[in-house]
Amino acid sequence: QVLLEESGGGSVQAGGSLRLSCAASRYTYSSSCMAWFRQAPGKEREEVARIDSDSSRSYADSVKGRFTISRDNAKNTLYLQMNSLKPEDTAMYYCAADPVNRCRSGIYSDWGRGTQVSVSS
């Protein structure tokens, strides 16, 4: 059963922007930590941005200053605003959550299926 569903991926040119959304289908994640991950072909999955239950945010060094994670609890939706996109941002992007708030330990119990982002030079 899919609990999280991503959308908003697509193909853009370098320097462009995209906003990814992650909608929760049943469970309310307003008190949960959530994050965006990405995985490019042949590379390991990496955590791109995380928002904790206290609304503190953290970002991978590669996206700091370009990506912004946010959430709308009323809509039960997580967002990732991506600006100044680079070809190296090309990957499948996944959202994840952990209702027990173990994100800082790298533990996420709920995952989406991903949305593809492709950035051309």
Side-chain angles (χ1 to χ4, degrees):
Q1 182 178 3
V2 177
L3 299 177
L4 299 169
E5 186 170 1
E6 304 92 340
S7 61
S11 298
V12 296
Q13 290 190 326
S17 298
L18 284 173
R19 188 177 80 155
L20 305 184
S21 299
C22 173
S25 60
R26 288 180 51 193
Y27 188 80
T28 299
Y29 290 99
S30 59
S31 299
S32 305
C33 55
M34 302 184 75
W36 287 97
F37 286 79
R38 68 184 180 187
Q39 187 167 22
K43 294 188 177 181
E44 292 187 356
R45 185 178 63 194
E46 66 169 333
E47 184 178 292
V48 173
R50 185 181 75 237
I51 184 166
D52 288 301
S53 57
D54 61 359
S55 296
S56 60
R57 295 162 171 81
S58 62
Y59 298 91
D61 288 342
S62 58
V63 306
K64 279 181 181 177
R66 300 189 297 122
F67 290 12
T68 302
I69 188 171
S70 62
R71 68 199 300 170
D72 184 333
N73 289 334
K75 295 182 178 180
N76 212 17
T77 300
L78 180 73
Y79 301 100
L80 184 68
Q81 178 66 44
M82 306 186 295
N83 298 328
S84 302
L85 283 162
K86 304 176 180 179
E88 51 264 43
D89 294 319
T90 295
M92 184 70 79
Y93 284 71
Y94 301 89
C95 70
D98 191 76
V100 191
N101 288 306
R102 298 169 293 182
C103 301
R104 292 183 181 180
S105 298
I107 300 172
Y108 294 84
S109 60
D110 303 337
W111 291 83
R113 291 176 174 169
T115 185
Q116 177 68 39
V117 171
S118 299
V119 185
S120 59
S121 57

